């Protein structure tokens, strides 16, 4: 609550800006000598709302120590601007909820994880007011869960292991252990893990490994990813069947017209899965007198 002493203790610096330089000497902290001082508005309210969102915020209750907040940030690269944002999140949450608050940063590469884990002093270098020191999870400290029994024991940790080690050469072993462990899990548990793992792998090569494992090991599941894989398989099957039919018709036409088809040309036709190319060959086959004429210009 503002009162006279409160007002005096800060307004004196408005009236005598140079006071801070002398006070800092008394406190044993050396700041550069000021050249000019400007009094800025003390209203820190945003004129327009500034959207700030932590990636995930959890209130976690405990049996003996009471509740605490866990703010989770996924960080894909080094970003110096994040330090100020994370400090804001922490201060805001502490002021709003009055609960112990922890910031967890999850990374997928070691360099970013090491950067995020480094304590960052915030404030003037002579006397930092806060030191930002989040808890960091990444490939440097998350275990590689390659044992099926271990994966089955903690499916969530195994999923995080796959995601944080997405670029690891051994990620295939993690994915295989996870997919095998999921065979025994109910769909309500397996489906979210299947999708989260796919999302976490992004467009890395490991993503295709995961799709293949889902298609084989978890073929009975009905998650969106597994349905997508099945749809792709059906589409590929239809396209292959169409191509084979076109190739058969093309060879039949050439046989009826008495055109000699060498084995190499026959294999080229039967092995083609490009329906548009087969269409062009079929049109040429109507007038061609040799197999070479069919492939001319290709």
């Amino acid at each position: 609550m503002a009162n006279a002493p409160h007002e005096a203790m800060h307004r004196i610096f408005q009236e005598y800006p140079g006071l801070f330089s002398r006070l800092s000497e008394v406190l044993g902290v050396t700041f550069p000598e000021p050249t000019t001082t400007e009094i800025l508005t003390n209203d820190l309210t945003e004129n327009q709302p500034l959207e700030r969102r932590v990636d995930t915020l959890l209130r976690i209750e405990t049996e003996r120590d009471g509740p605490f907040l866990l703010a989770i940030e996924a960080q894909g690269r080094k970003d110096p601007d994040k330090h100020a944002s994370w400090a804001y999140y922490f201060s805001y949450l502490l002021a709003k909820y009055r609960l112990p608050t922890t910031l967890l940063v999850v990374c997928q590469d070691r360099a970013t994880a090491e950067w995020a884990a480094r304590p960052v002093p915030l404030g003037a270098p002579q006397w930092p007011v806060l030191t930002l020191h989040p808890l960091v999870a990444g490939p440097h400290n998350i275990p590689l869960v390659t044992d099926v029994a271990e994966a089955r024991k903690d499916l969530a940790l195994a999923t995080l292991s796959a995601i944080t080690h997405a670029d690891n050469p051994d990620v295939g072993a993690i994915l295989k252990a996870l997919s095998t462990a999921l065979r025994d899990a109910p769909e309500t548990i397996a489906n979210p893990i299947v999708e989260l793992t796919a999302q976490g792998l992004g467009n890395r090569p490991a993503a295709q490994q995961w799709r293949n494992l889902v298609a084989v090991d978890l073929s009975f599941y009905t998650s969106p990813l597994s349905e997508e894989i099945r749809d792709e398989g059906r589409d590929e099957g239809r396209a292959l069947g169409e191509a084979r039919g076109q190739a058969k018709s093309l060879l039949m036409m050439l046989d009826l017209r008495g055109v000699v088809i060498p084995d190499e040309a026959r294999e080229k036709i039967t092995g083609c899965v490009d329906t548009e190319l087969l269409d062009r060959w079929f049109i040429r086959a109507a007038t061609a007198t040799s197999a070479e004429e069919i492939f001319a210009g290709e």
Side-chain angles (χ1 to χ4, degrees), residues 44-53 88:
L44 303 184
T45 304
E46 300 289 345
N47 292 330
Q48 294 182 348
L50 179 63
E51 184 173 340
R52 293 185 185 271
R53 293 179 183 271
Y88 175 90

Side-chain angles (χ1 to χ4, degrees), residues 120-143:
V120 177
L122 300 173
Q126 296 81 2
W127 191 267
V129 177
L130 299 173
T131 298
L132 184 70
H133 193 192
L135 188 62
V136 178
H140 66 300
N141 58 5
I142 296 296

Side-chain angles (χ1 to χ4, degrees), residues 59-71:
R59 175 188 167 117
I60 300 178
E61 299 282 347
T62 64
E63 184 175 353
R64 296 180 180 178
D65 299 328
F68 70 94
L69 298 182
L70 179 61

Side-chain angles (χ1 to χ4, degrees), residues 229-287:
I229 292 172
R230 293 188 189 101
D231 289 342
E232 289 176 357
R234 285 191 285 266
D235 290 342
E236 291 174 0
R238 283 193 291 269
L240 181 60
E242 183 179 350
R244 287 175 176 172
Q246 287 177 280
K248 183 177 181 180
S249 298
L250 172 56
L251 291 172
M252 185 180 297
M253 173 182 284
L254 293 171
D255 285 337
L256 290 174
R257 296 189 63 248
V259 178
V260 177
I261 312 172
D263 290 342
E264 183 179 351
R266 188 177 294 273
E267 291 177 3
K268 185 173 183 178
I269 292 171
T270 56
C272 181
V273 295
D274 187 336
T275 55
E276 292 184 0
L277 182 57
L278 287 166
D279 282 339
R280 291 199 297 272
W281 291 350
F282 188 85
I283 292 172
R284 294 171 189 167
T287 56

Side-chain angles (χ1 to χ4, degrees), residues 162-236:
I163 293 172
T164 54
H165 291 286
D167 293 317
N168 191 302
D170 295 326
V171 68
I174 303 174
L175 297 175
K176 180 60 179 176
L178 180 58
S179 66
T180 303
L182 287 175
R183 292 178 184 175
D184 303 326
E187 287 193 28
T188 53
I189 294 175
N191 286 350
I193 289 179
V194 168
E195 302 305 321
L196 282 170
T197 304
Q199 292 174 15
L201 297 174
N203 58 4
R204 293 173 172 81
Q208 188 57 50
Q209 296 182 50
W210 181 241
R211 294 174 70 86
N212 295 340
L213 288 169
V214 170
V216 176
D217 291 348
L218 305 174
S219 59
F220 50 88
Y221 281 121
T222 57
S223 69
L225 177 63
S226 59
E227 286 300 307
E228 180 183 333
I229 292 172
R230 293 188 189 101
D231 289 342
E232 289 176 357
R234 285 191 285 266
D235 290 342
E236 291 174 0

